[in-house]
Amino acid sequence: AQRVTQPEKLLSVFKGAPVELKCNYSYSGSPELFWYVQYSRQRLQLLLRHISRESIKGFTADLNKGETSFHLKKPFAQEEDSAMYYCALNGGSQGNLIFGKGTKLSVKP
Amino acid sequence: KAGVTQTPRYLIKTRGQQVTLSCSPISGHRSVSWYQQTPGQGLQFLFEYFSETQRNKGNFPGRFSGRQFSNSRSEMNVSTLELGDSALYLCASSFGSGGHYEQYFGPGTRLTVT
């Protein structure tokens, strides 16, 4: 079955500390994975796709097929990074996304 | 560029009624997808339309249906509403070509079924 698991509901770190948001997936084919972010009172927005291999707002994510993981990382967290983060898997077509339950990141001053 | 718009933003309906939600995508985007967001189940894929054709459907009962018009605007309909249909309904429009991909979400329609 296709599934995305984000084991942490809440992650709290101090400003300047490294942050890693975990995401594990279950998919039989070649996965396409995404990270989405939702800041308070804002729309859900695409943060990055594993295919593009970009660094957005200092965040990176590497697909590890062996561990079926796609963890989101940032070396130095900022207070403005506080938000809800969702990992998602392409379930077969462009808009067919399977979302994890999300991790709320809180960056304390 | 105007963002994805959804109407109405809030809706209160009674069990058994039906409802139609509308989504206007970013100009030039031909793919529109719908999602249901609830505290218990999180974000769940409903369906995806591309050039007026339903390309994929999530695991929802037949009471949930949708369509897309020639101008890429999309509507979703829920018939015989149940209390459990209370949720935030999000739509997203996307465009992908070569290595370029963009996707934008609307603000959502908050549906309350009483």
Side-chain angles (χ1 to χ4, degrees):
Chain A
Q2 300 169 355
R3 187 168 55 245
V4 174
T5 304
Q6 294 180 251
E8 303 139 328
K9 277 190 175 181
L10 175 65
L11 183 63
S12 187
V13 301
F14 285 101
K15 177 183 172 182
V19 62
E20 181 178 68
L21 297 159
K22 291 183 167 51
C23 172
N24 290 89
Y25 67 89
S26 173
Y27 188 69
S28 56
S30 187
E32 183 181 1
L33 287 141
F34 306 79
W35 276 100
Y36 290 84
V37 60
Q38 188 165 28
Y39 301 101
S40 178
R41 289 184 292 279
Q42 291 190 28
R43 303 181 184 196
L44 189 63
Q45 56 184 279
L46 176 63
L47 183 60
L48 54 81
R49 308 163 69 198
H50 92 268
I51 286 177
S52 57
R53 301 185 67 80
E54 298 170 296
S55 172
I56 305 291
K57 301 184 180 185
F59 284 98
T60 59
D62 289 316
L63 178 62
N64 185 322
K65 290 186 179 180
E67 296 183 359
T68 59
S69 69
F70 187 56
H71 303 328
L72 184 68
K73 300 177 185 179
K74 186 170 183 177
F76 307 103
Q78 302 299 314
E79 289 181 66
E80 56 265 31
D81 296 328
S82 296
M84 195 74 181
Y85 290 82
Y86 295 94
C87 181
L89 168 70
N90 182 320
S93 64
Q94 201 171 76
N96 182 0
L97 295 170
I98 300 162
F99 285 91
K101 291 292 177 72
T103 297
K104 185 174 182 179
L105 175 65
S106 175
V107 181
K108 298 178 179 178
Chain B
K1 205 186 254 192
V4 177
T5 58
Q6 290 187 246
T7 56
R9 292 293 312 279
Y10 303 91
L11 207 48
I12 300 175
K13 289 286 189 179
T14 304
R15 268 182 305 176
Q17 288 185 314
Q18 76 163 18
V19 67
T20 299
L21 313 181
S22 180
C23 172
S24 292
I26 300 278
S27 176
H29 287 193
R30 290 156 64 189
S31 173
V32 174
S33 301
W34 289 88
Y35 306 90
Q36 182 195 66
Q37 187 174 27
T38 59
Q41 299 299 316
L43 280 155
Q44 293 184 281
F45 169 71
L46 279 157
F47 22 67
E48 179 199 5
Y49 288 87
F50 183 86
S51 293
E52 302 179 67
T53 300
Q54 187 180 86
R55 194 152 67 173
N56 246 304
K57 189 178 194 306
N59 189 23
F60 279 82
R63 300 184 297 107
F64 291 80
S65 63
R67 59 179 175 168
Q68 186 180 33
F69 301 95
S70 59
N71 62 357
S72 294
R73 189 176 71 85
S74 177
E75 288 182 347
M76 68 163 278
N77 184 277
V78 188
S79 62
T80 320
L81 284 165
E82 300 177 1
L83 294 179
D85 297 333
S86 294
L88 181 67
Y89 290 87
L90 295 172
C91 84
S93 75
S94 60
F95 171 81
S97 177
H100 177 71
Y101 178 77
E102 56 184 48
Q103 181 187 45
Y104 296 96
F105 281 81
T109 293
R110 172 75 62 187
L111 172 64
T112 302
V113 182
T114 61

